[in-house]
Amino acid sequence: MKSKETLRKTILAKRKFIDPDEIAHKSQRILERLRQIKSIFNAPEILTYLAKPEEADTLGLIDWALEKDTTVYVPITTGLTDMQWSRLTNPYALKNGPFGIPIPTEITIVAPPKDAPVIIPCVAFAENGHRIGHGAGFYDRFLAQHQGPKIAIALEVQHVPDFPQEPHDIKMDAIVTESNTYTFTSVIE
């Protein structure tokens, strides 16, 4: 069984060579799958990340949510270990934040709703519902106290064999790719 660090390095290297048009096309297919999940479709509020170029893009999800008057919150990393949330009203008014992650140009830090669905990025994932992030633990710390549905999105190329889990790793309720919706709890319909 490969270590998380080995898998992280392998997948990050693979992602660098994926054509941006391919990512855009697959991200659109992920959005179509996400909109079929009742806990997202019916949510008055969602938490989601703003994607870096090599990640599954969330802009389509954000546009769709805002068009249907869903309140959208995005993470803001502060320091080396903390993540806070800001309401996003204009997904086109962004700047580069820490770690090259897009953030709103106007930030209003708020307490995120504890029961809203959260869309989570990942570097890699396994079929047992566990994900590998970038290794800083921002999402694991947040998810440990979040009560809403936890949904990771990724490209199918990020699917890896099982890997060792650590006590702080949080299992997803679902992982959505361009070709599959892997569900692990009854929270996801």
Side-chain angles (χ1 to χ4, degrees):
M1 186 179 303
K2 292 185 180 180
S3 73
K4 285 169 65 173
E5 188 56 36
T6 299
L7 290 167
R8 182 181 293 116
K9 288 178 181 175
T10 301
I11 297 300
L12 286 173
K14 278 185 182 180
R15 280 194 342 192
K16 288 181 182 179
F17 295 102
I18 301 173
D19 183 86
D21 289 338
E22 182 180 348
I23 292 174
H25 174 72
K26 290 180 177 184
S27 295
Q28 182 59 38
R29 291 178 54 200
I30 291 169
L31 170 62
E32 291 166 9
R33 289 181 166 281
L34 285 172
R35 292 191 320 200
Q36 294 174 14
I37 297 172
K38 287 181 184 177
S39 60
I40 292 177
F41 188 85
N42 295 327
E45 304 169 301
I46 62 168
L47 289 71
T48 186
Y49 69 97
L50 291 163
K52 296 192 304 187
E54 67 278 3
E55 294 178 317
D57 194 11
T58 56
L59 190 56
L61 171 67
I62 292 167
D63 282 340
W64 170 75
L66 291 173
E67 284 174 13
K68 60 186 222 67
D69 293 324
T70 300
T71 304
V72 176
Y73 300 93
V74 295
I76 309 294
T77 55
T78 56
L80 296 176
T81 60
D82 297 325
M83 183 168 73
Q84 298 179 309
W85 294 85
S86 176
R87 185 170 178 183
L88 180 68
T89 56
N90 183 352
Y92 299 97
L94 305 174
K95 63 183 179 183
N96 273 339
F99 309 107
I101 299 169
I103 60 173
T105 54
E106 293 185 27
I107 296 172
T108 305
I109 300 298
V110 296
K114 291 200 177 288
D115 59 350
V118 58
I119 307 301
I120 305 147
C122 65
V123 172
F125 70 93
E127 272 190 49
N128 64 2
H130 285 278
R131 63 179 270 286
I132 297 174
H134 284 276
F138 288 104
Y139 278 96
D140 286 322
R141 281 188 294 282
F142 171 74
L143 294 173
Q145 48 79 35
H146 187 70
Q147 298 165 7
K150 300 160 183 67
I151 304 166
I153 63 174
L155 305 179
E156 195 64 42
V157 71
Q158 295 170 252
H159 188 175
V160 297
D162 197 15
F163 50 85
Q165 278 84 53
E166 298 172 35
H168 63 269
D169 290 339
I170 304 294
K171 185 175 180 176
M172 300 295 99
D173 294 310
I175 298 172
V176 178
T177 71
E178 72 276 10
S179 55
N180 288 297
T181 300
Y182 303 91
T183 56
F184 309 103
T185 68
S186 60
V187 172
I188 303 302
E189 293 181 35

